[in-house]
Every structure is written in structure tokens, then in C-alpha cells.
Amino acid sequence: MWEEKNNKLYKKFEFKNFSEAFAFMTRVALAAEKMDHHPKWTNEYNKVEIWLSTHDAGDIVTEKDKKLVKIIDGLKE
């Protein structure tokens, strides 16, 4: 479940291994690029953490972030 804190949406994802985590990041990167909306994220082995906010709206959560959340959740399944 995504959490909203400090004007950002946050979620931590876990995978079986690094390859699955990296493949997920690649899918997210392609979707984010299409939207011209790029996440802040980290990856360590099988874990990916993502923070979303809209920079040009003053680093707050907007509908653009909520749309990307739905896309990201769909890519995890």
C-alpha cells in the first residue's frame, strides 16, 4: 500500500532477486518516461523503494502521481 507522507507517495517493493527487481524498474522507467514524470527511487538487491511527487507543482502529490501509482501497481502484478 502506498503511504502519503512529507508531500510524497511512498511504497517499498520486494522481489525474489535482483533480476526481478531490475526488470520491474525497467518497466516503471518506460512508463514514467512516456508520462514525462520521473520517480525518485532506490534499489538494493531485491528491494525497490519509490517516492512520487510533482516537482513542477512545488513537490506535492498531484493527480499525475496518482496516475503513475496505478500504472506502477499494474506493472508489479
Side-chain angles (χ1 to χ4, degrees), residues 3-43:
E3 300 174 45
E4 185 170 347
K5 53 185 179 180
N6 300 324
N7 293 320
K8 295 185 184 334
L9 293 173
Y10 167 81
K11 189 170 182 179
K12 182 178 184 177
F13 297 87
E14 290 194 38
F15 300 87
K16 283 196 254 181
N17 54 44
F18 176 76
S19 293
E20 284 191 11
F22 194 83
F24 169 73
M25 291 179 72
T26 301
R27 293 190 300 273
V28 171
L30 293 171
E33 185 65 19
K34 282 183 186 175
M35 289 181 65
D36 192 30
H37 191 51
H38 307 96
K40 174 184 176 182
W41 57 9
T42 62
N43 165 244

Side-chain angles (χ1 to χ4, degrees), residues 20-21 31 38 51-52 57 65 70 72:
E20 284 191 11
H38 307 96
W51 294 263
L52 295 173
D65 302 297
K70 288 180 185 174
I72 290 170

Side-chain angles (χ1 to χ4, degrees), residues 2 4 9 35 37 52-54 60-73:
W2 290 84
E4 185 170 347
L9 293 173
M35 289 181 65
H37 191 51
L52 295 173
S53 65
T54 303
I60 61 170
V61 175
T62 66
E63 285 303 312
K64 198 171 189 179
D65 302 297
K66 293 174 184 178
K67 181 178 179 184
L68 187 52
V69 158
K70 288 180 185 174
I71 292 168
I72 290 170
D73 283 344

